[in-house]
Amino acid sequence: MPDRFVPDRNRELLDHLSSSEPTVSFEFFPPKDDAGEEVLWDTITELEALQPTFVSITYGAGGTSQDRTVRVTSRISQETGLCPVAHLTLVRQTRDEVDDVLRQYAEAGVEHVLALRGDPPGGPRAEWESHPGGMTYAIELVEMARERGTFTVGVAAFPEGHPDAGSLDDDARVLAEKGAAGAEFAITQMFFRASDYFDLVERVRAHGSDMPIIPGIMPILNFGQVARMAELSGAEMPREVLDVIEPLAEDSAKVRAAGIELATQLCRDLIAGGAPGLHFITLNRSKATREIWDALRADGVL
């Protein structure tokens, strides 16, 4: 088997997404305090050895942790060889404040932004309320970032549809419209069935968009935690997944092992079906992600 493709930070992320080799990327959550930031930095250092195509730091639930997200993302850009994709949301911010964050990213050498509306402060199921002087839709942020001319812009995708979408087709249409406004790639929320991903891609293609859509992967390591996150985001825990995990619910080690195997098989199915890469939601720990990566390497998938 030939050596795995090694990302070149001086090349555009889009070049990697159009390559015949699948991309691998990692997503981290903003730490709550300085101690958590050090744990996160240790994880970033450990995963840097896997030479991911890019890494990203989320913007915090309900618009929290913006300052720490900006600081950590900037540090990645300035102190590592990794390519950072900077998350940015509209929550609790005016247009000027959002533009100032874009300025900070640009000054730190960050060249890629994930433009998101974000979850309302009351949670993903709460009604959205625009901040005074702010924006309402992610497409407005796409346009703002593109107007600066220095960013490659990505957006979120929803294999099972955004909770606010009237239908799956409406959801796909909105994603295609973001592409027409300047978004050049998308990363999905977590999901558990490969068919949900491929159905999304088909719907978006039917709306005339060829935007690369990277599947987001979160292994089930703690059933209660992942089930709660799935509920909040609108992702379904499929019966075939529950049939594997529920009988093991009282044995955390067995849940973890089964969750990693389910995620690994999902990754195999996605790459076999033509997904351009895999985006791992790491929960700021490296061990499970490394185990999946090692298994996929051993299989020749990566």
Side-chain angles (χ1 to χ4, degrees), residues 21 38 43 102 140 161 176 194 217 238 243 246 250 275 280 285 293:
E21 298 290 339
E38 288 308 306
T43 299
L102 286 170
E140 298 174 80
I217 308 297
D243 286 345
E246 284 182 333
E250 301 303 316
F280 292 98
R285 301 288 179 177
W293 189 92

Side-chain angles (χ1 to χ4, degrees), residues 43-80:
T43 299
I44 290 171
T45 301
E46 291 166 359
L47 291 177
E48 184 176 9
L50 303 187
Q51 299 177 315
T53 311
F54 66 91
V55 298
S56 66
I57 308 290
T58 67
Y59 212 55
T64 59
S65 306
Q66 294 102 319
D67 290 345
R68 200 176 292 272
T69 295
V70 173
R71 183 171 69 250
V72 172
T73 304
S74 299
R75 185 179 175 188
I76 290 170
S77 176
Q78 296 169 336
E79 298 182 22
T80 77

Side-chain angles (χ1 to χ4, degrees), residues 28-44 57 68 71-72 75 283-285:
F28 307 105
F29 295 159
K32 295 180 179 180
D33 51 33
D34 291 343
E37 188 168 330
E38 288 308 306
V39 171
L40 170 59
W41 199 253
D42 288 343
T43 299
I44 290 171
I57 308 290
R68 200 176 292 272
R71 183 171 69 250
V72 172
R75 185 179 175 188
L283 298 175
N284 292 12
R285 301 288 179 177

